[in-house]
Amino acid sequence: MPELWFSIASYIAMAGWVILVAGIVLKRPMLRDAAAGRFLPLALSVGYTVLILAFWWESEGGFDSLANVQQLFTSPWVALAGWVHFLAYDLFIGALMARRIMEANRSRLLLVPILPLCFLFGPIGFVIAQGILLTSREK
């Protein structure tokens, strides 16, 4: 059953990234900000909340050591919650970065490398976006 919910959450996130790109390409802030930047991350966050409330108490481990974090994620349901956490936050941050870069009047082409990096390696995309935003303020 966790595999089914993994697939559902992953498809929702992928739809969010497609909507985000469509909003950027079509210059539709409503798609970029409301759908990809708010509604879909919120839906994923609700799913995360349900998973944590239902399964957190059944798992062993914790956050006080790396070994305990590893143990925590041996539960399929808690691992799924962790995955949904990543999906929700990466999409939210991707949409936020896109909005800020576009509000700074930077080229939409700059988002071409940033969004895949944010999707696959969240903090790397965030670092690059911050560098672009910092250089746009200096001008």
Side-chain angles (χ1 to χ4, degrees), residues 98-110:
R99 184 177 77 227
R100 291 212 172 139
I101 284 172
M102 292 180 79
E103 286 174 349
N105 294 317
R106 302 302 304 245
S107 171
R108 292 178 296 158
L109 292 176
L110 291 171

Side-chain angles (χ1 to χ4, degrees), residues 51-63 68-79 81:
L51 288 165
I52 288 298
L53 291 175
F55 298 104
W56 178 263
W57 319 112
E58 297 175 8
S59 62
E60 296 183 24
F63 294 112
N68 279 339
V69 169
Q70 288 176 292
Q71 186 176 19
L72 181 65
F73 287 107
T74 59
S75 161
W77 289 105
V78 175

Side-chain angles (χ1 to χ4, degrees), residues 27-51:
K27 296 182 181 180
R28 303 282 179 161
M30 188 70 149
L31 289 175
R32 182 193 69 211
D33 299 339
R38 189 171 300 122
F39 176 71
L40 291 174
L42 180 61
L44 290 166
S45 295
V46 168
Y48 168 81
T49 301
V50 169
L51 288 165

